[in-house]
Amino acid sequence: MTTLHAPVTVHSDRLLYRPEEAAHALALGRSTVYELMAAGELRYIKVGRCRRIRRNDLERYVADLAPESAPRAVES
C-alpha cells in the first residue's frame, strides 16, 4: 500500500517550520532532519508536543556547513 503525501510548501516569510518543511527547504530527508535535531546539530524549539525549527536556525545550520574540498590529483 502506497501512502501519498501532500506537497510541502516552504514560505520564506515564515518564522517557524515543521521538520517536514525544514527537510524540504534543506533538500534533505525528513529522517535526516530528525537525526540532526537529535544530535544537536539543528536547533529546534518545542511548542507543546510539537517541534518547530526557526528560520534563523535553518540559515545558521547551512552557514556552518563546511564545504567539501575536492581531492587533489596525484602527480606521477
Side-chain angles (χ1 to χ4, degrees), residues 69-75:
S69 58
R72 292 184 173 194
V74 178
E75 294 182 27

Side-chain angles (χ1 to χ4, degrees), residues 1-75:
M1 176 180 210
T2 303
T3 303
L4 298 177
H5 297 285
V8 176
T9 303
V10 177
H11 303 280
S12 61
D13 60 338
R14 292 187 56 187
L15 298 176
L16 296 174
Y17 292 88
R18 295 183 326 221
E20 294 80 7
E21 295 168 332
H24 183 75
L26 295 171
L28 298 173
R30 183 181 63 90
S31 297
T32 301
V33 168
Y34 278 105
E35 290 170 6
L36 291 170
M37 292 165 55
E41 295 179 46
L42 180 59
R43 294 177 59 182
Y44 66 93
I45 60 171
K46 287 189 80 175
V47 180
R49 293 177 49 198
C50 301
R51 291 177 178 88
R52 295 294 182 257
I53 303 165
R54 294 179 290 208
R55 181 177 59 215
N56 63 345
D57 288 327
L58 286 175
E59 292 168 348
R60 183 180 301 119
Y61 171 76
V62 172
D64 290 346
L65 290 174
E68 288 287 324
S69 58
R72 292 184 173 194
V74 178
E75 294 182 27

